[in-house]
Amino acid sequence: MAERSTMSRRRFIKNTSYAAGGAIGGGFIGTLIGRNLLDDQQEAKKGSKTESLPDFNHALMHFTNQKEFQLLSAATERIFPEDDNGPGAIKLGVPFFIDHQLAGSYGHNDREYMRGPFYPGSDFQGYQTRLKRHEVFDVGIKAIQNESKKEFDADFVELEGKQQDQILQKFQDGDVKLKGVTATTFFELLRSATLEGAYSDPLYGGNGNMKGWMMKEFPGNYMSYLNEIGKEEFIKKEPRALRAHIQS
Amino acid sequence: MATTLDKVEVVTVGVGWTGGIIAAELAKKGVKVVGLERGKERTTEDFQHIHDEYRYAIRYELMQDLSRETITFRNHRDDRALPMRQLGSFLLGEGLGGAGIHWNGQTWRFLPYDLEIKSMTEKKYGANKLGSDYNIQDWGITYDELEPYFYKFEQTAGISGEENEFSAPRNNPYPNPPMKETPITKRFKDAAKTLKLSPFHMPSGNMSQTYKNPDGQTIAQCQYCGFCERFGCEYGAKSSPIVTVIPTAKQTGNFELRTHANVTEVIYDGNKATGVKYIDLQTGEEFIQPADIVVLTSYVMNNSRLLLNSGIGRPYDPESRTGVIGRNYCYQILPGATAFFEDEKFNTYMGAGSLGATVDNYNGDNFDHSNVNFIHGGSISTTQTGQRPINNNTVPNDIPNWGQQFKSESIKYYHRNLSIGAQGASLPHRNNYLSLDPDYKDIFGDPLLRLTYDFTEQDRNLHSYLTEKCVEIGKEMGADRVEPREISDHYSIVPYQTTHNTGGVIMGGDPETSAVNNYLQMWDVDNLFVVGASAFAHNGGYNPTGTVGALAYRAADGISKYIENKGQLVKANQSSEHV
Ligand SMILES: Cc1cc2nc3c(=O)[nH]c(=O)nc-3n(C[C@H](O)[C@H](O)[C@H](O)COP(=O)(O)OP(=O)(O)OC[C@H]3O[C@@H](n4cnc5c(N)ncnc54)[C@H](O)[C@@H]3O)c2cc1C
Ligand code: SF4
């Protein structure tokens, strides 16, 4: 059973302070994520004895500027913070998930209609910017930084959690003017990408060690519930990722 | 220059449920059919890695590639329509089997009332119940005429169902017993019974047992895997064109499938359709496929768009309310309620696309409308389709949608919320229609289809009535908190609602107000058949595909008759349906 051990619970609580953004700096993020994903107790318990490889996926494909990536990380952590339930966006790997998605077809809107002419459109007409998603993130992240300089005279990553929330709320409400896209469009993309990174199959680099699923008690990829579907009681299962489906 | 190919007897544009049914029925009779499908070929083996919410449900891998073609949308006639740049409100199919691959399988028969809605409403409630802005029309066919075709589709698709006192009358039982009862369906049924309603198990295209259909195709037993809607079935347990009609068509040797074939035009000589033009999306080559009979089976949107782009039929004009192509576009409304439970957890991660329980007491004309300001209604259900974690983060209304509180509440309620929802009928309004967009084009340079649509007074009244009923059921189910669903100020193209688009090439008895007769043969063009929910004169209180399937079998009969006798199969009835 995938019960969270008291050990890891304590560690979660201990690390909660770190959700307050201020603690995030430099290469610290990378090490923290790496360590927490790889040294997890449950994995060690059931996992193989083979030496864990360093996570070479935890490098940047889209972002070129580490400061911007840190800002992205801090913002996703406010959207999906570490708490008593378990890890937040950063420990789940969400920032890397987003970075990698922005470098691919998602970031480049490959399967979307991106021909002009472009007009703002009503709230009911949906995405109407000529910017592709990776450009929306670039514009949005720069704007978050500007806004926190303006409001608090500090980098976004240095703000208190509450202050970061205030800035993000202004974006959700559309109270900041961005070039080429509305602040709301950017915020909603950021929000949905964060949840996607927290809960998608770990194959995409988020949902580290299936911790997103464990918090939610979602078992992932099971072949059949034929014999359980009629049962009264809640059935808790150890999660399985799609990896289990590969035949080698 | 396009290469002209050898003529065939029948060509279909698109190979989903409708294209597959036409192909199977005609090929079985020895008719040579070519199916042109713009997407790729798919089989059950292609779904072995389908349990991937992100790839399939969020990034829409199985659905239409909008970079090539989309629709434009506006709420009102005097707004500027803008492209639907990302999928949202509905998920258009693409690839062999069409949306019949990633549907849920909830399979209904529309009510006798639906088919004669205008006559029956007038008889009972007078002519002015809704006012003159609504284009309510009879469908030009009675339920008794359509009943055998409903059954034929249910047999092919292996529908698992249970008798229901308000259902359209059935001459035969369902081919399979209903799906399993679960604590959720039971809870809904018990509540409904206490409220003196008549609950029953939802008719399902997910097999309750392994089933062999009359064509000899086997459909496996559903595993309740919880990855059904928006996904293909890894087991071949969800009825779909690729496990039923398409293999049947192929086995005859009379069906030729061409994938990656994107049709851009129906070639029309002013009297007859002579074939279609298509582009091979892999090579870029252009072909003309001549045919004796052309069948549009390309879903509501492209059935209308291809006719408009090919200059066939009279486009609908909302000002004068004349013309037929694009007329009576309808969607659906979704009244409902969310029930939150504090101390109980349900296995909501398990499920199947059509696992659910329903009451029909408030559908069609099953209740008296004398004292309400709307007609029709909707079926009310709870479904257990499998709640996946990215798409299901339900929190009570007073909780923000991000941040700490959001996180803990969405985790808490993940297994503690149930939704009670209605599929509300949608009735045609003069200002809701399809036309060509004057500005936006697809990658081939052809105009996009423009959707002009908003909710109407009828919709809002029906919505609030049914929402109240959903709340009552939710409370009776013992929820600690029940929140009604609200209808937005205007219809929005952004959030997913349903892929139940209807109309545009509607059927009827009168060529002035309908484009096709009750065999779905065009009034103006004898050898052109247009099959799909595009034929619905309004949208009812259920999912559409049972009725779409019945109409496709009816059309296949019509095409066979046309091959023998030529000419119009139905005598036009210049009735009082004029507006
Ligand atoms: C997520 C989802 C859930 C659903 N659940 C249900 C449900 O539970 N119950 C229900 O009754 N209905 C449901 N539906 C609706 C159902 O899928 C459709 O009613 C049904 O598939 C329509 O069949 P069709 O053959 O008319 O169109 P489609 O299945 O859309 O097939 C049309 C085909 O034509 C092809 N095509 C289009 N244009 C061209 C062109 N120009 N050239 C060549 N090919 C072309 C497309 O690629 C496609 O393959 C659902 C739909 C979706 C998306
Ligand atoms: S729920 Fe049943 S029909 Fe649907 S995909 Fe799973 S096994 Fe197939």
Side-chain angles (χ1 to χ4, degrees):
Chain A
M1 268 288 105
E3 291 284 20
R4 248 188 357 251
S5 69
T6 40
M7 245 310 268
S8 47
R9 174 175 287 264
R10 233 179 289 127
R11 193 175 68 225
F12 294 147
I13 295 165
K14 194 183 77 210
N15 287 341
T16 318
S17 58
Y18 133 101
I24 298 167
F28 181 55
I29 297 175
T31 10
L32 191 62
I33 291 168
R35 197 185 69 231
N36 280 299
L37 293 187
L38 293 172
D39 78 354
D40 180 82
Q41 281 205 326
Q42 299 145 12
E43 282 304 298
K45 229 190 290 167
K46 66 177 150 81
S48 61
K49 278 273 162 269
T50 47
E51 192 106 329
S52 344
L53 290 171
D55 196 339
F56 289 109
N57 287 331
H58 282 180
L60 300 182
M61 285 168 92
H62 168 71
F63 286 96
T64 51
N65 178 321
Q66 291 210 31
K67 261 184 107 172
E68 291 186 357
F69 181 68
Q70 283 155 22
L71 190 154
L72 171 77
S73 304
T76 58
E77 184 72 20
R78 292 315 297 170
I79 290 173
F80 197 82
E82 173 153 342
D83 66 359
D84 287 352
N85 292 291
I90 293 179
K91 267 199 229 157
L92 291 170
V94 168
F96 287 110
F97 165 87
I98 294 179
D99 171 78
H100 293 8
Q101 287 299 310
L102 288 177
S105 66
Y106 165 83
H108 291 259
N109 301 53
D110 281 353
R111 283 163 52 82
E112 273 120 34
Y113 189 83
M114 294 302 283
R115 293 162 169 252
F118 290 88
Y119 299 101
S122 74
D123 289 348
F124 306 94
Q125 288 174 306
Y127 195 87
Q128 293 297 338
T129 166
R130 74 166 65 237
L131 302 186
K132 296 182 171 172
R133 292 189 187 98
H134 71 94
E135 298 170 306
V136 173
F137 271 82
D138 287 348
V139 166
I141 281 170
K142 288 204 164 66
I144 290 183
Q145 177 69 344
N146 287 344
E147 203 55 29
S148 56
K149 289 261 193 225
K150 212 168 82 193
E151 288 268 314
F152 299 109
D153 196 24
D155 287 353
F156 183 77
V157 295
E158 253 122 47
L159 302 181
E160 294 291 320
K162 286 246 152 48
Q163 296 173 318
Q164 292 180 327
D165 290 352
Q166 265 180 50
I167 302 273
L168 292 174
Q169 190 60 55
K170 281 181 88 171
F171 279 75
Q172 182 171 39
D173 296 342
D175 292 342
V176 184
K177 204 164 159 33
L178 307 196
K179 196 176 154 198
V181 63
T182 67
T184 309
T185 298
F186 162 61
F187 181 84
E188 292 305 328
L189 266 184
L190 175 66
R191 175 189 171 271
S192 53
T194 303
L195 292 179
E196 286 157 14
Y199 292 131
S200 55
D201 193 281
L203 84 89
Y204 296 99
N207 186 16
N209 277 343
M210 301 186 278
K211 284 280 170 62
W213 288 352
M214 285 177 203
M215 284 187 279
K216 235 176 172 177
E217 298 182 319
F218 176 69
N221 162 37
Y222 274 75
M223 298 288 287
S224 174
Y225 299 120
L226 182 63
N227 299 321
E228 291 155 303
I229 187 79
K231 298 255 163 74
E232 275 293 337
E233 71 280 4
F234 182 76
I235 300 173
K236 199 169 157 183
K237 288 177 170 290
E238 187 159 347
R240 264 185 219 159
L242 257 181
R243 192 175 177 280
H245 241 72
I246 276 278
Q247 281 158 7
S248 48
Chain B
M1 259 308 284
T3 309
T4 302
L5 303 164
D6 290 342
K7 190 168 170 179
V8 296
E9 288 184 89
V10 175
V11 66
T12 77
V13 180
V15 189
W17 267 126
T18 56
I21 289 170
I22 300 295
E25 288 309 289
L26 297 176
K28 281 194 281 184
K29 291 188 175 143
V31 179
K32 297 277 183 208
V33 181
V34 166
L36 301 175
E37 167 55 50
R38 66 183 171 186
K40 56 184 173 185
E41 176 134 28
R42 323 183 258 215
T43 66
T44 297
E45 273 103 85
D46 292 314
F47 303 139
Q48 285 169 359
H49 288 262
I50 202 82
H51 288 186
D52 182 342
E53 182 185 14
Y54 185 60
R55 178 170 172 183
Y56 294 103
I58 307 294
R59 301 266 75 87
Y60 310 127
E61 176 141 323
L62 300 175
M63 287 89 175
Q64 181 167 315
D65 179 349
L66 297 189
S67 71
R68 288 206 301 266
E69 167 187 347
T70 184
I71 59 146
T72 67
F73 163 69
R74 58 183 179 177
N75 283 122
H76 295 290
R77 259 158 61 189
D78 22 303
D79 299 344
R80 188 205 312 266
L82 295 177
M84 175 177 79
R85 296 187 180 278
Q86 311 180 341
L87 285 168
S89 179
F90 39 82
L91 300 173
L92 302 165
E94 179 169 294
L96 192 63
I101 297 299
H102 48 77
W103 73 322
N104 273 325
Q106 303 170 8
T107 310
W108 300 91
R109 300 175 168 199
F110 273 23
L111 298 163
Y113 169 74
D114 280 304
L115 305 179
E116 297 176 85
I117 188 169
K118 182 176 161 74
S119 320
M120 289 187 175
T121 301
E122 285 184 355
K123 200 166 142 212
K124 204 158 156 191
Y125 306 108
N128 297 320
K129 180 80 181 162
L130 280 195
S132 59
D133 282 339
Y134 294 84
N135 295 342
I136 313 292
Q137 293 176 222
D138 290 348
W139 292 32
I141 195 164
T142 62
Y143 177 76
D144 288 344
E145 288 171 280
L146 208 50
E147 203 279 341
Y149 300 107
F150 274 116
Y151 187 55
K152 192 146 189 198
F153 181 66
E154 289 164 357
Q155 276 186 301
T156 303
I159 303 309
S160 309
E162 183 180 29
E163 294 300 329
N164 143 32
E165 73 171 279
F166 286 109
S167 137
R170 305 180 54 86
N171 291 336
N172 297 282
Y174 284 102
N176 282 307
M179 298 191 85
K180 285 183 188 269
E181 190 85 80
T182 77
I184 296 174
T185 55
K186 183 153 186 314
R187 177 74 74 116
F188 176 92
K189 287 181 179 175
D190 289 346
K193 278 182 210 150
T194 312
L195 293 167
K196 307 236 161 6
L197 303 171
S198 321
F200 57 96
H201 239 52
M202 180 177 277
S204 165
N206 319 133
M207 295 309 102
S208 56
Q209 59 188 12
T210 302
Y211 173 71
K212 194 169 186 175
N213 80 9
D215 293 319
Q217 308 299 341
T218 301
I219 319 177
Q221 182 184 18
C222 173
Q223 300 299 310
Y224 302 84
C225 76
F227 282 82
C228 206
E229 175 174 23
R230 305 189 180 194
F231 304 86
C233 179
E234 175 172 13
Y235 310 92
K238 171 162 65 177
S239 197
S240 85
I242 64 165
V243 296
T244 58
V245 287
I246 294 168
T248 299
K250 281 184 175 168
Q251 281 158 18
T252 63
N254 294 322
F255 174 60
E256 188 197 336
L257 169 69
R258 280 180 221 149
T259 51
H260 307 283
N262 193 111
V263 175
T264 54
E265 189 185 334
V266 179
I267 303 165
Y268 176 57
D269 70 5
N271 178 36
K272 271 189 154 53
T274 60
V276 299
K277 191 192 262 183
Y278 73 91
I279 293 171
D280 182 321
L281 293 172
Q282 290 180 315
T283 64
E285 286 169 287
E286 204 171 58
F287 296 97
I288 288 173
Q289 177 61 66
D292 291 331
I293 297 168
V294 175
V295 192
L296 299 188
T297 51
S298 55
Y299 193 65
V300 174
M301 301 303 179
N302 272 338
N303 284 356
S304 295
R305 176 168 180 251
L306 282 167
L307 293 174
L308 292 168
N309 270 335
S310 310
I312 303 176
R314 290 158 294 132
Y316 171 71
D317 171 11
E319 196 57 55
S320 63
R321 296 171 86 173
T322 57
V324 289
I325 310 299
R327 185 186 169 94
N328 283 27
Y329 172 85
C330 291
Y331 191 50
Q332 227 167 18
I333 57 160
L334 302 175
T338 310
F340 294 93
F341 297 81
E342 292 300 321
D343 305 317
E344 275 177 282
K345 276 162 92 179
F346 301 91
N347 289 312
T348 48
Y349 63 86
M350 306 175 186
S354 327
L355 177 62
T358 303
V359 293
D360 252 348
N361 301 64
Y362 303 110
N363 202 356
D365 199 29
N366 296 343
F367 61 106
D368 186 29
H369 290 69
S370 303
N371 297 318
V372 295
N373 47 4
F374 61 87
I375 61 167
H376 213 305
S379 54
I380 298 178
S381 308
T382 198
T383 53
Q384 187 175 352
T385 57
Q387 299 263 4
R388 294 167 300 270
I390 303 175
N391 247 344
N392 296 286
N393 288 288
T394 308
V395 292
N397 278 335
D398 51 5
I399 304 293
N401 72 353
W402 58 280
Q404 208 282 310
Q405 226 190 341
F406 165 74
K407 181 187 173 191
S408 56
E409 300 280 301
S410 60
I411 288 172
K412 171 179 166 192
Y413 285 115
Y414 181 49
H415 297 291
R416 288 183 173 91
N417 86 85
L418 301 177
S419 159
I420 298 109
Q423 298 204 38
S426 164
L427 299 176
H429 188 276
R430 63 182 301 177
N431 291 337
N432 288 337
Y433 67 107
L434 301 170
S435 56
L436 288 181
D437 190 277
D439 300 319
Y440 290 95
K441 305 217 171 351
D442 67 10
I443 45 158
F444 307 116
D446 294 320
L448 296 182
L449 188 73
R450 176 175 66 185
L451 165 63
T452 305
Y453 181 76
D454 205 354
F455 296 131
T456 63
E457 270 311 293
Q458 146 80 25
D459 290 334
R460 291 179 192 285
N461 297 338
L462 175 58
H463 191 283
S464 60
Y465 185 85
L466 289 183
T467 294
E468 247 173 66
K469 304 296 175 197
C470 296
V471 169
E472 276 172 29
I473 298 174
K475 286 190 177 147
E476 193 59 46
M477 284 168 78
D480 296 288
R481 175 172 179 162
V482 181
E483 288 184 353
R485 216 185 269 163
E486 304 212 329
I487 190 166
S488 54
D489 288 347
H490 296 282
Y491 164 73
S492 167
I493 203 83
V494 182
Y496 184 73
Q497 288 150 72
T498 71
T499 309
H500 302 165
N501 317 71
T502 64
V505 194
I506 65 171
M507 61 194 288
D510 178 357
E512 285 301 314
T513 54
S514 62
V516 295
N517 66 28
N518 62 28
Y519 286 102
L520 309 194
Q521 177 186 36
M522 274 196 85
W523 289 116
D524 301 350
V525 190
D526 293 346
N527 70 334
L528 182 54
F529 290 76
V530 186
V531 186
S534 52
F536 291 12
H538 70 272
N539 202 355
Y542 297 123
N543 314 60
T545 311
T547 305
V548 167
L551 290 174
Y553 277 107
R554 168 90 183 164
D557 251 13
I559 295 167
S560 299
K561 286 201 168 86
Y562 175 80
I563 290 171
E564 302 216 323
N565 304 322
K566 301 290 184 287
Q568 266 296 314
L569 300 168
V570 178
K571 213 165 142 277
N573 147 32
Q574 307 283 349
S575 70
S576 56
E577 279 180 24
H578 278 261
V579 281

